[in-house]
Amino acid sequence: MTQSRILLVVEDDPGLQKQLKWSFEQYDVVIAGNRNEAIAAIRRYTPSVVTLDLGLPPDPTNASEGLATLREILALAPATKIIVVTGNDDRANAIHAVALGAYDFYQKPVDPDILGLIIERAFHLDALERDYQNLQQQKPLHGVIATSPQMQAVMRMVEKIAPTQATVLLLGESGTGKELLARALHRLSTRSAQPFVAVNCAAIPETLLESELFGYEKGAFTGAVAQTKGKIEYAQGGTFFLDEIGDLPFALQAKLLRFIQERVIERLGGRKEIPIDVRIICATHRKLPDLIDQGTFRGDLYYRLSEIVVDIPPLREREGDVTTIANALLQRYCRENNLKEKHFSHDAAQAMEAYHWPGNIREMENKIKRATILSDGNFVTAADLEIGQPAENTMPLNLKSVREAAETVAIKRALNYADNNVSEAAKLLGVTRPTLYGLFEKYGLQGLVRNHSED
């Protein structure tokens, strides 16, 4: 189940249970008929929103059991949005429930349209609160989105070493966010008011890299018409970030080593030593010990650069971060492109969890940005993301996931068998046409609606 869209209905009337479950198919609806079932559902599913009938067994004629259930839910999950449902003559208890911490109340008889507005507003408020909490958690490392234990450990390490002057080596695959962490190290350091200067060693031709790093004097080479500072000099007082240090040409490594040891540079064509005060951070996706063995990277330089090494895990090894980062990116791209809020379909969520993400977060950014713009309707599917369906041997989380996957396949087969006729497909499936449309929306299959006839 998708954590933020689970609706728990606490109601002992079987007829009303069915009505509410049918009316709110856009959510993952969980039914509970008494206090014990409600608390068990809270513990298992941690729903964001709950509708709670105050008249529960064993004493459905008064609100004592419902109010006790309310108190227990809020004790377990204080952020839960609880909408109490009462009879027409029970307004006093409804107000008392709100005073105890309920989000809102609604009086019977139930009108699904009106109750649906209250429920959707509760989900919206819950989403805003979650976003705010995420922002607060991310504040120390601005821009880093992570909830996994692996990345939480990295972030704590960054926070510890940021105020020091130690040289830091960031190791990780391409796209894991090495520069983002380098900027966080600078932002949390005592040098944050001074420049942060970055140079990508792999992006500059070898013939130009020396002058780019150290600068040059007028007349040092053809075309050197004026004295020019290098990037190291521009970082004076701040942080100098050497990205892809594993691609630094061997001939330049000795000069960089001298700078790190002596903290002075000489411009190309110059004789004057210039003292430089910078904090050095390096990053690479390559295995430097292997390069040392191959003779393409200096061992003495490696030991100078690796006073503290931070290993950044790839996205596929960060438990829970795929969903967290994907949802944050989807909402960001919706806002940036002035699009209506979208969500990931069930197949998209499964596919993202099963996908290997060889390009890590950078690849995810590209795929989600494209899918956000090009997807139709309110859902982004696995096809929109172009990462394929999850492998058949991927174990679903629970029986509901199995049922949803089976229903999706059955809908597609019914439409094909009915020669693209929605009404006929609904009959084959044993549901009404409105129910079938609800399933289209629930599973992100709106494209099938546009491509098939209704009569």
Side-chain angles (χ1 to χ4, degrees):
M1 287 189 176
T2 304
Q3 170 91 15
S4 60
R5 305 294 285 181
I6 298 175
L7 171 65
L8 171 61
V9 174
V10 186
E11 171 60 58
D12 65 322
D13 183 342
L16 195 51
Q17 288 178 356
K18 291 180 181 178
Q19 180 188 358
L20 293 176
K21 189 162 188 175
W22 179 85
S23 299
F24 302 123
E25 287 185 327
Q26 66 269 41
Y27 309 117
D28 289 317
V29 178
V30 178
I31 302 293
N34 54 53
R35 190 197 334 178
N36 288 338
E37 291 178 3
I39 299 307
I42 291 291
R43 292 182 183 278
R44 180 176 179 182
Y45 300 110
T46 59
S48 300
V49 180
V50 175
T51 65
L52 171 63
D53 182 9
L54 289 184
L56 293 175
D59 189 9
T61 58
N62 67 57
S64 59
E65 188 70 8
L67 292 173
T69 304
L70 171 68
R71 292 189 185 95
E72 196 165 345
I73 290 174
L74 291 176
L76 285 172
T80 307
K81 305 294 176 286
I82 302 176
I83 304 163
V84 296
V85 180
T86 68
N88 286 327
D89 57 348
D90 208 15
R91 184 179 179 86
N93 280 321
I95 294 173
H96 180 47
V98 172
L100 290 175
Y103 166 72
D104 205 344
F105 69 90
Y106 180 80
Q107 290 182 310
K108 295 179 180 179
V110 171
D111 182 332
D113 291 335
I114 296 175
L115 180 57
L117 290 174
I118 300 173
I119 291 171
E120 186 57 35
R121 189 175 62 195
F123 273 114
H124 181 65
L125 178 60
D126 178 75
L128 291 176
E129 290 177 352
R130 289 176 187 273
D131 287 345
Y132 176 76
Q133 290 170 0
N134 288 336
L135 286 173
Q136 291 301 104
Q137 292 172 357
Q138 298 161 21
K139 193 173 181 181
L141 296 183
H142 178 70
V144 180
I145 303 171
T147 58
S148 66
Q150 296 89 342
M151 278 305 293
Q152 289 293 323
V154 169
M155 292 163 71
R156 286 193 297 271
M157 188 175 183
V158 167
E159 289 170 353
K160 285 182 180 180
I161 62 181
T164 73
Q165 301 303 313
T167 299
V168 180
L169 178 61
L170 301 170
L171 301 178
E173 295 179 5
S174 295
T176 50
K178 296 187 289 295
E179 183 169 348
L180 197 62
L181 289 178
R183 291 184 181 275
L185 283 166
H186 173 71
R187 192 178 299 110
L188 296 174
S189 74
T190 57
R191 300 173 178 267
S192 59
Q194 303 304 316
F196 175 90
V197 178
V199 172
N200 188 320
C201 299
I204 302 172
E206 182 176 349
T207 54
L208 300 179
L209 188 54
E210 182 177 3
S211 59
E212 185 78 8
L213 292 175
F214 298 99
Y216 53 85
E217 299 289 350
K218 181 180 179 180
F221 50 83
T222 303
V225 296
Q227 184 189 80
T228 302
K229 291 182 179 180
K231 291 294 181 75
I232 295 176
E233 235 177 307
Y234 277 114
Q236 180 70 267
T239 301
F240 182 59
F241 175 51
L242 272 166
D243 198 5
E244 299 301 349
I245 188 68
D247 292 291
L248 185 70
F250 193 82
L252 273 181
Q253 293 176 23
K255 192 165 184 178
L256 179 64
L257 177 63
R258 178 175 180 270
F259 158 63
I260 294 172
Q261 291 173 330
E262 307 295 335
R263 298 297 165 134
V264 296
I265 64 166
E266 291 180 10
R267 298 191 191 108
L268 201 63
R271 296 288 185 269
K272 179 183 176 183
E273 291 187 342
I274 303 169
I276 301 292
D277 173 29
V278 294
R279 201 262 184 92
I280 299 171
I281 301 174
C282 299
T284 182
H285 72 283
R286 306 185 70 178
K287 297 183 183 300
L288 295 184
D290 290 347
L291 299 183
I292 293 171
D293 291 341
Q294 296 165 16
T296 58
F297 200 87
R298 295 178 63 110
D300 48 3
L301 176 59
Y302 170 71
Y303 294 117
R304 285 288 182 178
L305 296 177
S306 58
E307 289 181 352
I308 296 181
V309 177
V310 179
D311 283 298
I312 307 169
L315 183 56
R316 61 185 171 276
E317 295 178 7
R318 304 181 192 180
E319 300 167 16
D321 276 0
V322 167
T323 300
T324 301
I325 297 171
N327 282 319
L329 291 174
L330 180 62
Q331 300 315 316
R332 181 208 298 175
Y333 295 142
C334 284
R335 290 192 301 269
E336 289 179 356
N337 294 283
N338 298 314
L339 298 172
K340 184 179 177 182
E341 182 179 358
K342 297 187 179 188
H343 302 279
F344 290 109
S345 67
H346 182 74
D347 74 315
Q350 278 195 318
M352 287 191 296
E353 287 291 346
Y355 187 58
H356 192 64
W357 296 110
N360 293 289
I361 298 170
R362 188 178 296 122
E363 180 186 11
M364 177 180 276
E365 289 174 336
N366 292 340
K367 288 187 179 297
I368 292 179
K369 188 171 188 177
R370 178 188 180 281
T372 303
I373 295 170
L374 297 181
S375 61
D376 297 318
N378 298 327
F379 288 87
V380 172
T381 67
D384 294 323
L385 291 167
E386 296 186 336
I387 57 177
Q389 299 291 335
E392 291 183 3
N393 62 353
T394 300
M395 177 61 189
L397 293 178
N398 49 43
L399 288 175
K400 184 177 184 300
S401 299
V402 176
R403 185 176 69 247
E404 290 179 352
E407 287 182 351
T408 300
V409 172
I411 289 168
K412 293 178 179 177
R413 288 180 178 173
L415 280 169
N416 289 330
Y417 191 85
D419 196 23
N420 302 341
N421 184 297
V422 173
S423 297
E424 186 63 27
K427 292 178 184 178
L428 291 171
L429 292 167
V431 298
T432 64
R433 194 167 69 181
T435 298
L436 183 54
Y437 276 109
L439 291 171
F440 281 137
E441 184 172 354
K442 180 179 180 180
Y443 299 140
L445 302 174
Q446 293 91 331
L448 298 178
V449 181
R450 287 188 298 274
N451 296 330
H452 295 79
S453 61
E454 297 188 17
D455 300 308

